[in-house]
Amino acid sequence: MNHGHVSRRTLLAGATAVALTAATGTATATTGEVPTLWREFTRTPCTHPQIPYVGRAGCRRGTTRFPRHPVVADVTDFGAVPDGTTDCAPAINRAIAAAGRAGGGTVTIPPGTFRIDGLIHIGHDDVVLRGAGSSRTTLYATKSLTELIGVYGSRYGGTKSAWSWAGGLIWLAPTARWDSLVAAIQAQAWPFEGWTGNKRDEWTTLTAVEPARQGDWTVTVADPARLRPGRLVLLRIADDTAHTLLQHMSGGGPGPAAYNWDDKTKLLSYVPYEWPVRITHVRGHRVTLERPLPLDLRPEWNPQFTTHVRELTGAGVEGLTLEVMETPQSTHLLDKGYNGVVMQCAYDCWADDVTVRNVDNGFGLVAASSCTLRRTRVGGRGEHHPYFCREGSHDNLVEDFTIEERTVPAPADTQLHGINVEGLSSYNVWSRGDMRMGTFDSHRGLPFANVRTDITVDNNGRHGGDANAGPLFGARFTHWNIRDTNHRAGLVKIDGLAPYSATVGVDECTEFDQIDVPDFAGDLHSRLELYPTTDTVRPRNLYEAQRDLGR
């Protein structure tokens, strides 16, 4: 897919070509069946009722090659020593700061084990922290985020630790945003974590946006004066008193209309829906976006482009292992914050060839969009969330990922989730995964239009999420080519759970040891196809097939 605007005609032509390749068996895998759903999708790729268009998910619209920035610093030149005993966190952060002052560049870490008694923060654009490979460079972390920053309570009250779902010992977030988060935590003024600041008030309107339909690439605006190609804007869509926006996210119809939205206070705190997107063209009052609209834009929802906190863009972490000093896993929701890598208020950022071990929580996307986690691995003593995607994170790609079996038995009163998505997060993809434990965790908060494809899972985890966070699923969830090794249906076979969604090419499985129940009554309009089968559906990988459309 090129980096310019792709016309609907080009996209449809590409879809047809991919469909013909799959049907005639000229793809790499020459056997298999093409489901009716795929043939339908190729006719309406941006507006299919059950399958979302995710062909541009990930950093730089799903690029297969990340930017290569020139080397501007080596951590050993700033005092880091690979002896496993010297605290190297200050030296590594000094090297990162120097790269930031230089306007970006790569900071290298040579082979060896570097002890860190503090967290590593990447807060400037185009700064990449690069080790010599995950099997050669190790950062050995000795302290938790509770020790380094302080206790972090939930903004919704209670005794929970927000380090159970936030923050990382390698933390990619724009400097000003990160500073404000840390200050709020230390002041015990528990913050919102997204694109509009700790109190969701750091934004101004750029222009109103006229009504449009889900799948449109171009919209009409009232005032284009402050819009330009390349600018990242925030599309904000508010709800009305009848909660018709939340119903729309759920596919509409009698089930969502009858659902009691008013008492879901946590869910209601996530609205307005905020979607970051770059502008590619401005011509008069017509503005073209780098991705198609995720939802309809209706006048009653007051759609508008707004400003937001400054994003982190072009930053990455590569080629290293973050190994945390082994400690017992904490009681559920009381994590101390021995967390791995987190991207927050980040856009077009990435991690590649990164392993985390002995963590409370592995890789996090928090109000992050258009980011890629590639060749990542979570292992060691066992963790709460191996991967979490929350607080309005959109259009991200997690591919070639591994969740290892835990090395010690799970302590009592702990919880294992898996690949989590929640909090109105949408159009995210998990692709080519090897999950030796965990589940496809939808953590309430009405996530919608997410894809899990070409994954092997030993399905032994459980979903989470407060009841007041609302439904487990919105519309257009798709599970495509899933090898369910213990044949447990929960959260993998979702035709009875998720509205207007698709389960295609999943092993035969049964209902046992699970807690998921449907949130909406009546016909869910969900589809089940090529069930039960094992690795026979073509195209084999739904994301890759969509990515190839229009090429």
Side-chain angles (χ1 to χ4, degrees):
M1 183 98 52
N2 62 45
H3 284 206
H5 176 56
V6 178
S7 70
R8 185 177 298 273
R9 178 178 296 177
T10 301
L11 189 61
L12 289 171
T16 302
V18 173
L20 288 172
T21 298
T24 58
T26 57
T28 302
T30 58
T31 60
E33 298 180 66
V34 179
T36 301
L37 273 163
W38 175 252
R39 299 180 193 278
E40 292 175 1
F41 177 82
T42 61
R43 294 194 290 270
T44 58
C46 295
T47 58
H48 193 276
Q50 279 89 14
I51 299 176
Y53 174 66
V54 293
R56 289 196 163 193
C59 174
R60 298 195 173 192
R61 308 178 184 93
T63 181
T64 56
R65 293 185 179 182
F66 299 120
R68 303 292 289 182
H69 300 304
V71 174
V72 297
D74 186 286
V75 298
T76 58
D77 294 333
F78 290 79
V81 182
D83 59 7
T85 59
T86 302
D87 176 17
C88 298
I92 294 171
N93 283 319
R94 285 195 297 268
I96 291 169
R101 290 192 298 271
T106 298
V107 175
T108 57
I109 312 177
T113 297
F114 296 80
R115 174 173 170 152
I116 56 171
D117 296 338
L119 66 84
I120 305 303
H121 174 225
I122 301 175
H124 292 91
D125 294 348
D126 301 317
V127 172
V128 177
L129 182 65
R130 180 184 300 152
S134 60
S135 63
R136 302 181 67 202
T137 296
T138 297
L139 303 183
Y140 181 71
T142 64
K143 294 185 178 179
S144 69
L145 293 168
T146 298
E147 296 171 273
L148 297 172
I149 295 176
V151 173
Y152 189 0
S154 170
R155 66 178 183 252
Y156 300 104
T159 60
K160 300 172 185 177
S161 168
W163 296 128
S164 300
W165 57 78
L169 292 170
I170 299 177
W171 199 332
L172 287 76
T175 295
R177 186 73 184 99
W178 188 81
D179 288 344
S180 72
L181 285 165
V182 170
I185 293 166
Q186 292 177 338
Q188 298 189 0
W190 314 131
F192 283 90
E193 301 157 277
W195 288 97
T196 51
N198 295 342
K199 297 181 179 180
R200 298 195 77 180
D201 59 358
E202 296 179 36
W203 61 276
T204 59
T205 299
L206 295 171
T207 180
V209 183
E210 294 188 7
R213 298 298 300 272
Q214 173 204 326
D216 288 349
W217 298 76
T218 300
V219 296
T220 300
V221 301
D223 181 7
R226 299 173 66 186
L227 306 181
R228 66 181 186 279
R231 178 168 188 173
L232 186 70
V233 296
L234 202 65
L235 175 65
R236 282 172 58 91
I237 315 173
D239 204 2
D240 57 16
T241 57
H243 302 300
T244 59
L245 175 59
L246 296 176
Q247 293 178 43
H248 175 54
M249 292 174 176
S250 305
Y259 185 79
N260 184 6
W261 301 98
D262 287 325
D263 65 351
K264 307 303 185 293
T265 54
K266 188 172 183 178
L267 172 62
L268 297 180
S269 75
Y270 298 146
V271 186
Y273 174 79
E274 298 172 339
W275 183 60
V277 64
R278 286 200 197 281
I279 294 170
T280 59
H281 296 283
V282 179
R283 184 170 184 175
H285 289 261
R286 299 284 287 167
V287 176
T288 301
L289 310 174
E290 69 174 345
R291 292 182 175 88
L293 286 178
L295 294 164
D296 289 352
L297 305 184
R298 301 178 188 172
E300 58 267 32
W301 300 336
N302 190 27
Q304 54 188 310
F305 288 140
T306 75
T307 63
H308 49 83
V309 299
R310 191 187 187 283
E311 71 274 13
L312 177 70
T313 189
V317 56
E318 302 175 347
L320 57 84
T321 288
L322 174 67
E323 182 173 351
V324 177
M325 175 181 64
E326 188 165 353
T327 59
Q329 186 177 351
S330 296
T331 299
H332 189 222
L333 297 175
L334 295 179
D335 294 349
K336 295 179 176 65
Y338 293 104
N339 295 347
V341 179
V342 164
M343 298 180 182
Q344 185 162 4
C345 296
Y347 196 96
D348 280 339
C349 294
W350 69 93
D352 185 26
D353 184 26
V354 177
T355 295
V356 298
R357 301 187 65 80
N358 300 326
V359 291
D360 290 340
N361 300 281
F363 291 87
L365 298 162
V366 181
S369 292
S370 188
C371 295
T372 296
L373 305 178
R374 181 176 296 159
R375 298 191 297 164
T376 56
R377 177 180 290 261
V378 183
R381 51 91 157 148
E383 57 282 330
H384 181 193
H385 297 98
Y387 291 83
F388 56 98
C389 177
R390 51 177 294 272
E391 202 76 9
S393 291
H394 314 291
D395 305 301
N396 297 294
L397 171 63
V398 182
E399 65 179 355
D400 297 311
F401 66 95
T402 301
I403 302 172
E404 297 178 359
E405 291 184 67
R406 61 188 312 133
T407 55
V408 298
D413 300 320
T414 61
Q415 186 61 269
L416 166 66
H417 296 307
I419 48 175
N420 152 270
V421 61
E422 60 181 282
L424 299 185
S425 297
S426 62
Y427 293 86
N428 301 289
V429 177
W430 293 261
S431 169
R432 294 201 308 263
D434 180 9
M435 296 175 60
R436 301 168 195 172
M437 64 178 189
T439 192
F440 290 2
D441 172 32
S442 292
H443 226 64
R444 301 199 178 274
L446 196 64
F448 66 95
N450 297 286
V451 167
R452 290 135 169 174
T453 183
D454 195 8
I455 297 170
T456 300
V457 55
D458 190 72
N459 186 23
N460 61 358
R462 293 180 180 272
H463 77 75
D466 293 337
N468 66 1
L472 286 170
F473 301 95
R476 296 186 305 285
F477 258 80
T478 300
H479 292 173
W480 185 285
N481 192 21
I482 307 301
R483 299 167 291 277
D484 187 351
T485 58
N486 64 338
H487 305 291
R488 176 174 178 246
L491 299 166
V492 170
K493 183 177 179 290
I494 57 172
D495 55 298
L497 292 171
Y500 285 93
S501 294
T503 302
V504 182
V506 175
D507 281 315
E508 184 172 14
C509 48
T510 58
E511 305 280 340
F512 67 91
D513 188 34
Q514 60 198 74
I515 58 174
D516 45 292
V517 295
D519 292 288
F520 302 112
D523 186 356
L524 296 179
H525 299 282
S526 287
R527 304 274 293 276
L528 179 67
E529 208 173 340
L530 296 186
Y531 173 81
T533 59
T534 302
D535 212 19
T536 61
V537 61
R538 296 296 178 268
R540 189 175 193 271
N541 186 294
L542 180 62
Y543 162 71
E544 291 174 357
Q546 290 195 23
R547 184 192 62 199
D548 291 342
L549 305 184
R551 282 191 167 185

